[in-house]
Amino acid sequence: MKILVQKFGGTSVSTEERRERAAAKVLGAVSENYAVVAVVSAMGRAGDPYATDTLIKLATDINKEITARELDLLMSCGEVISGAVLAATLQNHGLRATLLTGGQAGIITTAEHGEARILRVNPKEILRELKAGRVVVVTGFQGVSEDGAVTTLGRGGSDTSAAALGVALNAEAVDIYTDVEGVMTADPRIVQDARILDVVTYNDVAHLAHEGAKVIHPRAVEIAMRQNMPLRVKSTFSDAPGTLVTNDQPNRAVGADMFEDRLITGIAHMPQVTQITIDISGDRDKPRIVRQIFKSMALAGISVDFISTQLDAVRYTVKDELASKAAEVLQNMNITPKLLSGCAIISLVGGGITDAPGVMADIAEVLAERDIEILQSADSHTTIWVLVKGTHLTEAARMLHGKFINPQ
Ligand code: ADP
Ligand code: MG
């Protein structure tokens, strides 16, 4: 039995017409003799009647402190609704389709409500249905804890469900169907001339996803990578081939670098971050104060990024929404931080950055041309990060894309 997992995101199931397009993808795979598992997200985006954010709002409007376990049960309804409606659509086309919840599909998770991690998948029930010749629709984004509570996997979690099912079922591939034609060199909402990447390594796409390219969830990529499971990102609304995520190099000589001509694969961005600057020039015991700052952030559960400690100052970033909490923690330690909110982290990602000299110099030059100030920068062997003011995000991303990805 050759199995294909197809995942349909929120915009791919939001209207009747779109669900017909999704159904056509399932029908296409069935006609190629695939046993199909279709993983669905909740319908639409915030404001749409059955979207995840709409469901959350129903409860949090009356009680912001609703318990995470109950919120998970509420959120899980979104995928149940879209799954049932997609099953009905498939049945209209003469397919025998059955709907399984995450728990029924055998997705066992930790009990961390709202951010559960998949512990294992027992695909017995899915296999039984597939063997009986049925298309199995599975609600994405959810699982069940060992003690039977419904859990959710966090934003973008349906991608993770699809990847985990693909691996557990030893599928031929996992296809992520969405509203763009593949993984692109930048978010097309910001950089209009972003290009589709035909092939990309797990590492590059995982880094892009981590740095904010929300076209696929980084955990989904990590799960697929461990088993070398081919992932394809495609559009529900076209027949374009999409992006293949793989480490294999089908058309190249053994040993050749698949992406030898590619210095930077793509650019991702993370808006709404606050830069915190703490002047330590007058402190005698600098190591102690640095240690105290980060220990206090950790104790308060505030995750920090972009840490740079120098003799005169400590700088780091937090999400905008956590900035006032971070400031309060610092003030309690008699520290007066300087806050710059609404910043954005731009990340240039690519395996080709390793050992390439002068990239940072080029970045600085391109941004200086437009008077875009680099508030902070950092680099690893696959990523270069720059922090800019939010008002500079779009222009900076376009300039960097123009310089490194689409040079004239
Ligand atoms: P779905 O509901 O199908 O999961 P998402 O909204 O989660 O869809 O992801 C698709 C969106 O990701 C696109 O509409 C696009 O704006 C955004 N995106 C951000 N970065 C990229 C990128 N590098 N390539 C493609 N899309 C990207
Ligand atoms: Mg998504």
Side-chain angles (χ1 to χ4, degrees), residues 7 9 45 156 159 178 214-216:
K7 179 255 167 176
R45 293 275 177 273
D159 296 337
T178 182
K214 68 171 201 154
V215 62
I216 190 163

Side-chain angles (χ1 to χ4, degrees), residues 7 9-12 45 159 177-180 182-189 212-215 267:
K7 179 255 167 176
T11 46
S12 300
R45 293 275 177 273
D159 296 337
Y177 281 100
T178 182
D179 61 354
V180 284
V183 178
M184 304 177 75
T185 50
D187 186 343
R189 288 182 213 192
K214 68 171 201 154
V215 62
I267 295 178

Side-chain angles (χ1 to χ4, degrees), residues 2 20 28 31 49 53 126 133 145-146 174 220 223 238 284 298 308 356:
K2 50 174 200 172
E20 285 297 334
S31 74
D53 284 313
I126 299 187
S145 66
E146 311 246 30
V174 173
I223 290 172
S238 82
R284 276 214 211 112
S308 115

Side-chain angles (χ1 to χ4, degrees), residues 76-391:
S76 71
C77 297
E79 278 70 19
V80 174
I81 292 169
S82 76
V85 175
L86 184 67
T89 308
L90 295 172
Q91 288 165 1
N92 264 346
H93 287 278
L95 290 179
R96 290 188 298 142
T98 189
L99 172 64
L100 298 179
T101 64
Q104 290 168 340
I107 298 177
I108 312 297
T109 74
T110 60
E112 298 154 273
H113 287 287
E115 278 296 336
R117 284 183 159 262
I118 296 177
L119 291 170
R120 59 182 181 278
V121 178
N122 175 2
K124 205 176 70 195
E125 190 62 22
I126 299 187
L127 283 169
R128 208 164 58 93
E129 296 288 346
L130 291 177
K131 280 187 191 133
R134 282 187 273 269
V135 170
V136 181
V137 181
V138 178
T139 57
F141 177 62
Q142 55 172 260
V144 67
S145 66
E146 311 246 30
D147 55 10
V150 171
T151 54
T152 65
L153 308 177
R155 290 286 143 151
S158 296
D159 296 337
T160 311
S161 309
L165 288 172
V167 167
L169 293 162
N170 200 14
E172 231 174 74
V174 173
D175 289 345
I176 306 287
Y177 281 100
T178 182
D179 61 354
V180 284
E181 289 191 339
V183 178
M184 304 177 75
T185 50
D187 186 343
R189 288 182 213 192
I190 291 210
V191 180
Q192 275 80 10
D193 55 355
R195 285 186 283 112
I196 306 281
L197 293 158
D198 301 331
V199 190
V200 64
T201 60
Y202 294 106
N203 260 324
D204 277 358
V205 84
H207 283 123
L208 281 170
H210 252 298
E211 306 302 343
K214 68 171 201 154
V215 62
I216 190 163
H217 195 291
R219 213 179 289 159
V221 183
E222 284 152 19
I223 290 172
M225 174 163 64
R226 260 185 264 141
Q227 302 292 325
N228 223 12
M229 166 71 50
L231 274 179
R232 293 179 296 210
V233 179
K234 300 181 181 200
S235 167
T236 307
F237 313 112
S238 82
D239 291 321
T243 300
L244 173 64
V245 185
T246 178
N247 282 343
D248 297 339
Q249 333 181 355
N251 301 319
R252 300 255 179 170
V254 176
D257 181 350
M258 176 164 52
F259 308 116
E260 62 212 320
D261 46 349
R262 207 189 264 173
L263 175 64
I264 285 167
T265 305
I267 295 178
H269 68 279
M270 189 89 74
Q272 285 150 27
V273 300
T274 296
Q275 184 193 37
I276 298 183
T277 306
I278 298 161
D279 182 353
I280 58 165
S281 53
D283 284 284
R284 276 214 211 112
D285 193 350
K286 296 182 203 300
R288 189 180 61 97
I289 184 87
V290 171
R291 208 168 53 235
Q292 280 175 349
I293 289 169
F294 292 111
K295 195 169 172 201
S296 68
M297 291 296 122
L299 283 175
I302 299 171
S303 115
V304 300
D305 257 314
F306 233 131
I307 298 169
S308 115
T309 63
Q310 277 141 2
L311 285 179
D312 60 332
V314 174
R315 293 188 178 81
Y316 59 95
T317 59
V318 300
K319 288 191 173 142
D320 275 350
E321 69 214 43
L322 293 175
S324 55
K325 187 172 167 193
E328 201 182 302
V329 171
L330 293 167
Q331 274 146 10
N332 287 340
M333 298 163 63
N334 282 327
I335 292 172
T336 312
K338 215 175 85 198
L339 302 191
L340 187 59
S341 65
C343 297
I345 300 174
I346 300 179
S347 310
L348 290 83
V349 172
I353 289 176
T354 317
D355 300 332
V359 182
M360 191 59 220
D362 286 347
I363 293 173
E365 190 182 317
V366 165
L367 297 183
E369 268 170 35
R370 295 293 173 107
D371 286 330
I372 296 173
E373 190 189 352
I374 299 177
L375 301 169
Q376 262 178 264
S377 68
D379 66 283
S380 76
H381 56 289
T382 56
T383 308
I384 297 179
W385 297 269
V386 291
L387 182 71
V388 298
K389 287 186 183 148
T391 46

